[in-house]
Amino acid sequence: MTGILATLFGIFAQLSVLAFGGGNTVLPEMQRQVVSVHHWMTAADFNALFALSQAAPGPNMMIVALLGWHIAGLPGLLASTVGMFMPSYFITMIVMGLWVRFKDRPWRVVLQTALMPVTAGLVVASAWLITKVAANSFILGCIVVAAALVSVLARKVHPLWVLFGGAAIGLLTGFF
């Protein structure tokens, strides 16, 4: 059990350091670690926990606690949560102090601009990973992504309503 807890802490501590642009940017690596590398759960289980964490009120990184709980109970929850949030907390404190100190420097704007496409790419990779497992075919995945984008961007539907609609359609199609 101690080995699993140390591994959980190590995995999430590494992901914490790599999470540029938010926790969802490391979702593909999180899924790879718990599903493919350590075989602690299936991809469908991972998607179910991700959906549950996104539907629940609170921080969007609740999936970290759910994964830890699923893998090793309460000690797993604590190991994964502390591993995910402790390193990024200290890094954020240091970087924010420097960010404010160098607010007028031109390299700061260049760095911020350079990190935007990296963050966008990581978020798209996360969305693709979740869609790939949830949709049964490539065409269905494209339809789901297109419908969600049109709803949110063109029709200005709140993303939670899109999430709720997708869950309802999934439940209805699962029964028939």
mmCIF file of all heavy atoms in Angstrom, residues 64-101:
data_model
loop_
_atom_site.group_PDB
_atom_site.id
_atom_site.type_symbol
_atom_site.label_atom_id
_atom_site.label_comp_id
_atom_site.label_asym_id
_atom_site.label_seq_id
_atom_site.Cartn_x
_atom_site.Cartn_y
_atom_site.Cartn_z
ATOM 1 N N VAL A 64 -8.575 14.591 -9.473
ATOM 2 C CA VAL A 64 -7.374 14.094 -8.797
ATOM 3 C C VAL A 64 -7.764 13.354 -7.522
ATOM 4 O O VAL A 64 -7.298 12.241 -7.271
ATOM 5 C CB VAL A 64 -6.405 15.260 -8.496
ATOM 6 C CG1 VAL A 64 -5.254 14.810 -7.627
ATOM 7 C CG2 VAL A 64 -5.915 15.879 -9.794
ATOM 8 N N ALA A 65 -8.630 13.952 -6.726
ATOM 9 C CA ALA A 65 -9.078 13.306 -5.488
ATOM 10 C C ALA A 65 -9.863 12.033 -5.793
ATOM 11 O O ALA A 65 -9.686 11.011 -5.123
ATOM 12 C CB ALA A 65 -9.917 14.281 -4.675
ATOM 13 N N LEU A 66 -10.710 12.089 -6.832
ATOM 14 C CA LEU A 66 -11.498 10.899 -7.181
ATOM 15 C C LEU A 66 -10.610 9.758 -7.658
ATOM 16 O O LEU A 66 -10.856 8.593 -7.338
ATOM 17 C CB LEU A 66 -12.528 11.254 -8.255
ATOM 18 C CG LEU A 66 -13.684 12.146 -7.804
ATOM 19 C CD1 LEU A 66 -14.555 12.522 -8.983
ATOM 20 C CD2 LEU A 66 -14.500 11.461 -6.722
ATOM 21 N N LEU A 67 -9.593 10.079 -8.439
ATOM 22 C CA LEU A 67 -8.670 9.029 -8.895
ATOM 23 C C LEU A 67 -7.950 8.401 -7.708
ATOM 24 O O LEU A 67 -7.842 7.178 -7.615
ATOM 25 C CB LEU A 67 -7.653 9.608 -9.889
ATOM 26 C CG LEU A 67 -8.199 10.034 -11.239
ATOM 27 C CD1 LEU A 67 -7.120 10.740 -12.053
ATOM 28 C CD2 LEU A 67 -8.760 8.853 -12.005
ATOM 29 N N GLY A 68 -7.448 9.247 -6.803
ATOM 30 C CA GLY A 68 -6.756 8.732 -5.629
ATOM 31 C C GLY A 68 -7.667 7.860 -4.781
ATOM 32 O O GLY A 68 -7.264 6.793 -4.307
ATOM 33 N N TRP A 69 -8.906 8.297 -4.614
ATOM 34 C CA TRP A 69 -9.886 7.525 -3.834
ATOM 35 C C TRP A 69 -10.171 6.189 -4.507
ATOM 36 O O TRP A 69 -10.222 5.144 -3.859
ATOM 37 C CB TRP A 69 -11.176 8.324 -3.706
ATOM 38 C CG TRP A 69 -12.229 7.609 -2.922
ATOM 39 C CD1 TRP A 69 -13.129 6.695 -3.387
ATOM 40 C CD2 TRP A 69 -12.479 7.720 -1.529
ATOM 41 N NE1 TRP A 69 -13.929 6.246 -2.371
ATOM 42 C CE2 TRP A 69 -13.552 6.857 -1.218
ATOM 43 C CE3 TRP A 69 -11.904 8.475 -0.521
ATOM 44 C CZ2 TRP A 69 -14.046 6.735 0.074
ATOM 45 C CZ3 TRP A 69 -12.410 8.343 0.766
ATOM 46 C CH2 TRP A 69 -13.465 7.490 1.047
ATOM 47 N N HIS A 70 -10.359 6.204 -5.830
ATOM 48 C CA HIS A 70 -10.651 4.986 -6.582
ATOM 49 C C HIS A 70 -9.486 3.994 -6.492
ATOM 50 O O HIS A 70 -9.708 2.790 -6.392
ATOM 51 C CB HIS A 70 -10.922 5.343 -8.046
ATOM 52 C CG HIS A 70 -11.258 4.171 -8.911
ATOM 53 N ND1 HIS A 70 -12.530 3.652 -8.995
ATOM 54 C CD2 HIS A 70 -10.485 3.410 -9.723
ATOM 55 C CE1 HIS A 70 -12.521 2.629 -9.824
ATOM 56 N NE2 HIS A 70 -11.294 2.466 -10.282
ATOM 57 N N ILE A 71 -8.277 4.490 -6.492
ATOM 58 C CA ILE A 71 -7.094 3.623 -6.534
ATOM 59 C C ILE A 71 -6.733 3.084 -5.149
ATOM 60 O O ILE A 71 -6.436 1.902 -5.002
ATOM 61 C CB ILE A 71 -5.904 4.389 -7.154
ATOM 62 C CG1 ILE A 71 -6.214 4.701 -8.628
ATOM 63 C CG2 ILE A 71 -4.602 3.608 -7.015
ATOM 64 C CD1 ILE A 71 -5.294 5.709 -9.252
ATOM 65 N N ALA A 72 -6.759 3.942 -4.116
ATOM 66 C CA ALA A 72 -6.268 3.502 -2.800
ATOM 67 C C ALA A 72 -7.085 4.038 -1.632
ATOM 68 O O ALA A 72 -6.555 4.171 -0.527
ATOM 69 C CB ALA A 72 -4.805 3.913 -2.651
ATOM 70 N N GLY A 73 -8.344 4.385 -1.848
ATOM 71 C CA GLY A 73 -9.181 4.842 -0.733
ATOM 72 C C GLY A 73 -8.744 6.208 -0.215
ATOM 73 O O GLY A 73 -8.136 7.000 -0.930
ATOM 74 N N LEU A 74 -9.064 6.453 1.054
ATOM 75 C CA LEU A 74 -8.762 7.760 1.648
ATOM 76 C C LEU A 74 -7.267 8.094 1.621
ATOM 77 O O LEU A 74 -6.907 9.226 1.271
ATOM 78 C CB LEU A 74 -9.307 7.833 3.080
ATOM 79 C CG LEU A 74 -9.099 9.159 3.803
ATOM 80 C CD1 LEU A 74 -9.776 10.302 3.049
ATOM 81 C CD2 LEU A 74 -9.619 9.076 5.231
ATOM 82 N N PRO A 75 -6.368 7.151 1.939
ATOM 83 C CA PRO A 75 -4.938 7.495 1.823
ATOM 84 C C PRO A 75 -4.547 7.862 0.383
ATOM 85 O O PRO A 75 -3.713 8.752 0.171
ATOM 86 C CB PRO A 75 -4.219 6.214 2.271
ATOM 87 C CG PRO A 75 -5.207 5.510 3.135
ATOM 88 C CD PRO A 75 -6.547 5.823 2.554
ATOM 89 N N GLY A 76 -5.149 7.219 -0.588
ATOM 90 C CA GLY A 76 -4.877 7.552 -1.993
ATOM 91 C C GLY A 76 -5.376 8.928 -2.353
ATOM 92 O O GLY A 76 -4.717 9.675 -3.089
ATOM 93 N N LEU A 77 -6.555 9.262 -1.836
ATOM 94 C CA LEU A 77 -7.099 10.610 -2.040
ATOM 95 C C LEU A 77 -6.121 11.656 -1.510
ATOM 96 O O LEU A 77 -5.817 12.644 -2.186
ATOM 97 C CB LEU A 77 -8.450 10.729 -1.349
ATOM 98 C CG LEU A 77 -9.193 12.059 -1.459
ATOM 99 C CD1 LEU A 77 -10.684 11.816 -1.402
ATOM 100 C CD2 LEU A 77 -8.796 13.025 -0.367
ATOM 101 N N LEU A 78 -5.611 11.436 -0.296
ATOM 102 C CA LEU A 78 -4.695 12.408 0.307
ATOM 103 C C LEU A 78 -3.373 12.471 -0.452
ATOM 104 O O LEU A 78 -2.847 13.559 -0.719
ATOM 105 C CB LEU A 78 -4.458 12.057 1.776
ATOM 106 C CG LEU A 78 -5.692 12.196 2.675
ATOM 107 C CD1 LEU A 78 -5.399 11.653 4.071
ATOM 108 C CD2 LEU A 78 -6.160 13.634 2.736
ATOM 109 N N ALA A 79 -2.830 11.324 -0.828
ATOM 110 C CA ALA A 79 -1.544 11.301 -1.540
ATOM 111 C C ALA A 79 -1.657 12.002 -2.888
ATOM 112 O O ALA A 79 -0.786 12.810 -3.261
ATOM 113 C CB ALA A 79 -1.074 9.858 -1.721
ATOM 114 N N SER A 80 -2.703 11.710 -3.639
ATOM 115 C CA SER A 80 -2.845 12.326 -4.960
ATOM 116 C C SER A 80 -3.141 13.821 -4.856
ATOM 117 O O SER A 80 -2.591 14.625 -5.621
ATOM 118 C CB SER A 80 -3.932 11.616 -5.771
ATOM 119 O OG SER A 80 -5.187 11.733 -5.132
ATOM 120 N N THR A 81 -3.961 14.209 -3.903
ATOM 121 C CA THR A 81 -4.323 15.628 -3.765
ATOM 122 C C THR A 81 -3.136 16.466 -3.310
ATOM 123 O O THR A 81 -2.860 17.527 -3.881
ATOM 124 C CB THR A 81 -5.500 15.779 -2.776
ATOM 125 O OG1 THR A 81 -6.601 15.000 -3.259
ATOM 126 C CG2 THR A 81 -5.925 17.224 -2.653
ATOM 127 N N VAL A 82 -2.418 15.985 -2.305
ATOM 128 C CA VAL A 82 -1.235 16.723 -1.834
ATOM 129 C C VAL A 82 -0.177 16.748 -2.940
ATOM 130 O O VAL A 82 0.457 17.778 -3.186
ATOM 131 C CB VAL A 82 -0.681 16.100 -0.528
ATOM 132 C CG1 VAL A 82 0.664 16.703 -0.165
ATOM 133 C CG2 VAL A 82 -1.674 16.291 0.607
ATOM 134 N N GLY A 83 -0.003 15.639 -3.627
ATOM 135 C CA GLY A 83 0.969 15.594 -4.728
ATOM 136 C C GLY A 83 0.624 16.562 -5.833
ATOM 137 O O GLY A 83 1.504 17.192 -6.417
ATOM 138 N N MET A 84 -0.646 16.718 -6.143
ATOM 139 C CA MET A 84 -1.052 17.601 -7.236
ATOM 140 C C MET A 84 -0.978 19.074 -6.867
ATOM 141 O O MET A 84 -0.608 19.902 -7.691
ATOM 142 C CB MET A 84 -2.477 17.247 -7.689
ATOM 143 C CG MET A 84 -2.928 17.976 -8.916
ATOM 144 S SD MET A 84 -2.005 17.365 -10.334
ATOM 145 C CE MET A 84 -2.489 18.522 -11.579
ATOM 146 N N PHE A 85 -1.314 19.406 -5.645
ATOM 147 C CA PHE A 85 -1.454 20.823 -5.310
ATOM 148 C C PHE A 85 -0.271 21.425 -4.561
ATOM 149 O O PHE A 85 -0.049 22.632 -4.648
ATOM 150 C CB PHE A 85 -2.745 21.052 -4.530
ATOM 151 C CG PHE A 85 -3.954 20.764 -5.369
ATOM 152 C CD1 PHE A 85 -4.724 19.646 -5.128
ATOM 153 C CD2 PHE A 85 -4.286 21.583 -6.431
ATOM 154 C CE1 PHE A 85 -5.831 19.362 -5.924
ATOM 155 C CE2 PHE A 85 -5.382 21.312 -7.231
ATOM 156 C CZ PHE A 85 -6.151 20.196 -6.980
ATOM 157 N N MET A 86 0.494 20.650 -3.819
ATOM 158 C CA MET A 86 1.588 21.219 -3.043
ATOM 159 C C MET A 86 2.706 21.804 -3.916
ATOM 160 O O MET A 86 3.093 22.958 -3.710
ATOM 161 C CB MET A 86 2.166 20.187 -2.077
ATOM 162 C CG MET A 86 3.173 20.779 -1.100
ATOM 163 S SD MET A 86 3.778 19.572 0.067
ATOM 164 C CE MET A 86 4.714 18.486 -0.985
ATOM 165 N N PRO A 87 3.232 21.066 -4.910
ATOM 166 C CA PRO A 87 4.300 21.672 -5.724
ATOM 167 C C PRO A 87 3.839 22.912 -6.484
ATOM 168 O O PRO A 87 4.556 23.919 -6.529
ATOM 169 C CB PRO A 87 4.695 20.548 -6.693
ATOM 170 C CG PRO A 87 4.263 19.297 -6.019
ATOM 171 C CD PRO A 87 3.035 19.667 -5.247
ATOM 172 N N SER A 88 2.653 22.855 -7.083
ATOM 173 C CA SER A 88 2.188 24.011 -7.852
ATOM 174 C C SER A 88 1.902 25.211 -6.945
ATOM 175 O O SER A 88 2.054 26.358 -7.359
ATOM 176 C CB SER A 88 0.960 23.655 -8.681
ATOM 177 O OG SER A 88 -0.091 23.229 -7.861
ATOM 178 N N TYR A 89 1.526 24.951 -5.709
ATOM 179 C CA TYR A 89 1.311 26.048 -4.763
ATOM 180 C C TYR A 89 2.621 26.808 -4.541
ATOM 181 O O TYR A 89 2.656 28.040 -4.654
ATOM 182 C CB TYR A 89 0.779 25.505 -3.432
ATOM 183 C CG TYR A 89 0.803 26.517 -2.321
ATOM 184 C CD1 TYR A 89 -0.177 27.513 -2.253
ATOM 185 C CD2 TYR A 89 1.803 26.500 -1.357
ATOM 186 C CE1 TYR A 89 -0.138 28.463 -1.243
ATOM 187 C CE2 TYR A 89 1.842 27.439 -0.361
ATOM 188 C CZ TYR A 89 0.874 28.421 -0.297
ATOM 189 O OH TYR A 89 0.914 29.357 0.697
ATOM 190 N N PHE A 90 3.687 26.075 -4.255
ATOM 191 C CA PHE A 90 4.967 26.741 -3.997
ATOM 192 C C PHE A 90 5.512 27.415 -5.255
ATOM 193 O O PHE A 90 6.040 28.519 -5.193
ATOM 194 C CB PHE A 90 5.982 25.744 -3.408
ATOM 195 C CG PHE A 90 5.671 25.369 -1.994
ATOM 196 C CD1 PHE A 90 5.331 24.073 -1.662
ATOM 197 C CD2 PHE A 90 5.691 26.320 -0.988
ATOM 198 C CE1 PHE A 90 5.026 23.730 -0.358
ATOM 199 C CE2 PHE A 90 5.383 25.990 0.320
ATOM 200 C CZ PHE A 90 5.055 24.690 0.635
ATOM 201 N N ILE A 91 5.372 26.758 -6.391
ATOM 202 C CA ILE A 91 5.843 27.360 -7.647
ATOM 203 C C ILE A 91 5.053 28.638 -7.954
ATOM 204 O O ILE A 91 5.627 29.657 -8.354
ATOM 205 C CB ILE A 91 5.731 26.344 -8.808
ATOM 206 C CG1 ILE A 91 6.752 25.229 -8.611
ATOM 207 C CG2 ILE A 91 5.936 27.030 -10.154
ATOM 208 C CD1 ILE A 91 6.586 24.068 -9.569
ATOM 209 N N THR A 92 3.744 28.586 -7.762
ATOM 210 C CA THR A 92 2.910 29.760 -8.026
ATOM 211 C C THR A 92 3.297 30.919 -7.123
ATOM 212 O O THR A 92 3.374 32.075 -7.584
ATOM 213 C CB THR A 92 1.422 29.410 -7.835
ATOM 214 O OG1 THR A 92 1.085 28.360 -8.739
ATOM 215 C CG2 THR A 92 0.536 30.613 -8.077
ATOM 216 N N MET A 93 3.556 30.637 -5.875
ATOM 217 C CA MET A 93 3.949 31.708 -4.951
ATOM 218 C C MET A 93 5.242 32.369 -5.411
ATOM 219 O O MET A 93 5.352 33.600 -5.401
ATOM 220 C CB MET A 93 4.117 31.142 -3.532
ATOM 221 C CG MET A 93 2.845 30.612 -2.933
ATOM 222 S SD MET A 93 1.561 31.859 -2.766
ATOM 223 C CE MET A 93 2.198 32.793 -1.412
ATOM 224 N N ILE A 94 6.212 31.572 -5.824
ATOM 225 C CA ILE A 94 7.502 32.129 -6.270
ATOM 226 C C ILE A 94 7.341 32.885 -7.585
ATOM 227 O O ILE A 94 7.800 34.019 -7.730
ATOM 228 C CB ILE A 94 8.540 30.993 -6.399
ATOM 229 C CG1 ILE A 94 8.859 30.423 -5.015
ATOM 230 C CG2 ILE A 94 9.805 31.497 -7.088
ATOM 231 C CD1 ILE A 94 9.649 29.128 -5.043
ATOM 232 N N VAL A 95 6.666 32.262 -8.556
ATOM 233 C CA VAL A 95 6.535 32.876 -9.884
ATOM 234 C C VAL A 95 5.687 34.150 -9.820
ATOM 235 O O VAL A 95 6.006 35.133 -10.494
ATOM 236 C CB VAL A 95 5.949 31.861 -10.890
ATOM 237 C CG1 VAL A 95 5.572 32.529 -12.194
ATOM 238 C CG2 VAL A 95 6.959 30.749 -11.138
ATOM 239 N N MET A 96 4.642 34.154 -9.031
ATOM 240 C CA MET A 96 3.810 35.360 -8.949
ATOM 241 C C MET A 96 4.595 36.533 -8.369
ATOM 242 O O MET A 96 4.411 37.675 -8.788
ATOM 243 C CB MET A 96 2.544 35.099 -8.129
ATOM 244 C CG MET A 96 1.509 34.299 -8.877
ATOM 245 S SD MET A 96 1.096 34.949 -10.515
ATOM 246 C CE MET A 96 0.370 36.513 -10.111
ATOM 247 N N GLY A 97 5.466 36.249 -7.412
ATOM 248 C CA GLY A 97 6.322 37.309 -6.872
ATOM 249 C C GLY A 97 7.226 37.875 -7.957
ATOM 250 O O GLY A 97 7.369 39.104 -8.094
ATOM 251 N N LEU A 98 7.812 37.004 -8.752
ATOM 252 C CA LEU A 98 8.676 37.450 -9.852
ATOM 253 C C LEU A 98 7.859 38.124 -10.958
ATOM 254 O O LEU A 98 8.310 39.089 -11.569
ATOM 255 C CB LEU A 98 9.459 36.263 -10.422
ATOM 256 C CG LEU A 98 10.466 35.628 -9.472
ATOM 257 C CD1 LEU A 98 11.034 34.359 -10.084
ATOM 258 C CD2 LEU A 98 11.575 36.618 -9.147
ATOM 259 N N TRP A 99 6.666 37.593 -11.226
ATOM 260 C CA TRP A 99 5.798 38.131 -12.291
ATOM 261 C C TRP A 99 5.437 39.589 -12.000
ATOM 262 O O TRP A 99 5.476 40.440 -12.883
ATOM 263 C CB TRP A 99 4.541 37.270 -12.394
ATOM 264 C CG TRP A 99 3.879 37.296 -13.725
ATOM 265 C CD1 TRP A 99 2.646 37.804 -14.005
ATOM 266 C CD2 TRP A 99 4.388 36.794 -14.956
ATOM 267 N NE1 TRP A 99 2.362 37.643 -15.334
ATOM 268 C CE2 TRP A 99 3.420 37.026 -15.944
ATOM 269 C CE3 TRP A 99 5.585 36.172 -15.317
ATOM 270 C CZ2 TRP A 99 3.594 36.669 -17.260
ATOM 271 C CZ3 TRP A 99 5.759 35.805 -16.626
ATOM 272 C CH2 TRP A 99 4.781 36.055 -17.580
ATOM 273 N N VAL A 100 5.125 39.869 -10.769
ATOM 274 C CA VAL A 100 4.796 41.246 -10.378
ATOM 275 C C VAL A 100 6.051 42.112 -10.395
ATOM 276 O O VAL A 100 6.023 43.257 -10.843
ATOM 277 C CB VAL A 100 4.132 41.256 -8.984
ATOM 278 C CG1 VAL A 100 3.992 42.672 -8.444
ATOM 279 C CG2 VAL A 100 2.772 40.574 -9.043
ATOM 280 N N ARG A 101 7.145 41.549 -9.956
ATOM 281 C CA ARG A 101 8.404 42.306 -9.893
ATOM 282 C C ARG A 101 8.871 42.732 -11.282
ATOM 283 O O ARG A 101 9.410 43.817 -11.452
ATOM 284 C CB ARG A 101 9.459 41.441 -9.230
ATOM 285 C CG ARG A 101 10.790 42.126 -9.048
ATOM 286 C CD ARG A 101 11.716 41.247 -8.268
ATOM 287 N NE ARG A 101 13.030 41.859 -8.205
ATOM 288 C CZ ARG A 101 14.109 41.242 -7.820
ATOM 289 N NH1 ARG A 101 14.021 39.990 -7.427
ATOM 290 N NH2 ARG A 101 15.257 41.839 -7.786
#
